[in-house]
């Protein structure tokens, strides 16, 4: 990890290029984190790539309910030469949850951005194929949001629909009101 001084030097270079880009830095428990403006995600990750952080290990969705801006995206970048790690975070409000996609620059972000879209509702503008990846296409809502209702909602997937088998009730259990499987 960059130490606290290294983190501030990186943030300083980012601020020199764009004064409004970095919102905050945190070095806590030997982990470096930079909080940025959502509309600068691609530029910041490209800058960090130039500093040796060439491996995008993961992209995560977060929900800070009840705080606003509520939804967050977290990028974990690795520098394989120096064995360093840095976390880049951003937050967006629920009424405008848009973040530029980093998939064109980091192909590994493709399915991870789709999962965040599916589970949290963050829209990645410029994504080549932004659609649900885990839930059915016609599913309403975003299950990983903290205000999502817990349990009791039957989900019929296409391959089970003909038999009326309910995924949430259990395997080979008949959904109430469905015909008996043949």
């Amino acid at each position: 990890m960059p130490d606290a001084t290294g983190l501030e030097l990186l943030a300083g270079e980012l601020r020199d290029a764009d004064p409004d880009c970095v919102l905050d830095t945190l070095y806590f428990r030997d982990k470096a984190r930079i909080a940025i403006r959502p509309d600068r995600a691609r530029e910041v990750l490209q800058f960090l790539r130039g500093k040796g952080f060439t491996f995008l290990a993961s992209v995560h969705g977060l929900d800070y309910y009840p705080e606003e801006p509520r939804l967050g995206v977290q990028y974990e970048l690795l520098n394989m030469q120096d064995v360093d790690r840095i976390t880049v975070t951003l937050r967006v409000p629920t009424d405008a949850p848009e973040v530029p996609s980093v998939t064109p620059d980091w192909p590994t972000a493709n399915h991870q951005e789709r999962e965040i879209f599916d589970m949290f509702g963050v829209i990645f503008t410029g994504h080549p194929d932004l659609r649900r990846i885990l839930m059915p296409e016609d599913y309403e809502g975003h299950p990983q949001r903290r205000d999502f209702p817990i349990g009791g909602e039957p989900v019929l997937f296409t391959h089970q629909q003909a038999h009326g088998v309910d995924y949430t009730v259990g395997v080979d259990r008949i959904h109430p009101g469905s015909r008996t499987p043949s």
Side-chain angles (χ1 to χ4, degrees):
M1 264 73 29
D3 59 8
T5 305
L7 174 63
E8 291 305 321
L9 289 171
L10 281 173
E13 287 184 51
L14 280 165
R15 286 184 182 113
D16 289 344
D18 182 358
D20 299 327
C21 176
V22 176
L23 302 177
D24 189 22
T25 60
L26 177 67
Y27 187 79
F28 182 66
R29 294 185 179 170
D30 294 329
K31 187 161 173 138
R33 181 190 67 117
I34 296 179
I36 62 167
R37 287 186 35 188
D39 58 335
R40 301 295 200 280
R42 283 186 75 178
E43 294 85 356
V44 169
L45 268 60
Q46 283 292 55
F47 169 82
L48 291 170
R49 176 181 265 169
K51 293 295 180 179
F53 293 93
T54 57
F55 179 56
L56 179 62
S58 59
V59 184
H60 305 278
L62 304 155
D63 187 352
Y64 294 99
Y65 179 81
E67 298 175 24
E68 276 292 336
R70 177 176 161 183
L71 302 174
V73 178
Q74 178 174 305
Y75 303 91
E76 293 287 337
L77 295 166
L78 301 177
N79 180 328
M80 303 301 281
Q81 297 293 58
D82 298 335
V83 191
D84 269 352
R85 172 186 298 261
I86 193 164
T87 302
V88 178
T89 62
L90 58 87
R91 289 175 70 168
V92 292
T94 52
D95 60 345
E98 294 189 13
V99 177
S101 174
V102 299
T103 299
D105 305 321
W106 307 82
T108 188
N110 185 350
H111 288 89
Q112 296 174 71
E113 286 182 349
R114 285 182 57 194
E115 182 178 359
I116 295 166
F117 166 71
D118 194 3
M119 296 289 114
F120 293 94
V122 175
I123 299 166
F124 291 91
T125 55
H127 191 281
D129 185 25
L130 192 62
R131 60 188 167 95
R132 289 196 178 267
I133 192 168
L134 298 172
M135 301 304 291
E137 285 293 328
D138 59 348
Y139 191 82
E140 293 181 18
H142 305 285
Q144 289 295 310
R145 286 192 180 182
R146 290 183 177 223
D147 60 351
F148 191 80
I150 298 175
E153 185 174 333
V155 178
L156 289 174
F157 287 95
T158 308
H159 73 280
Q160 298 162 319
Q161 193 170 17
H163 302 292
V165 178
D166 188 337
Y167 178 74
T168 57
V169 174
V171 177
D172 296 331
R173 304 235 0 234
I174 306 303
H175 185 272
S178 296
R179 65 178 177 78
T180 306
S182 44

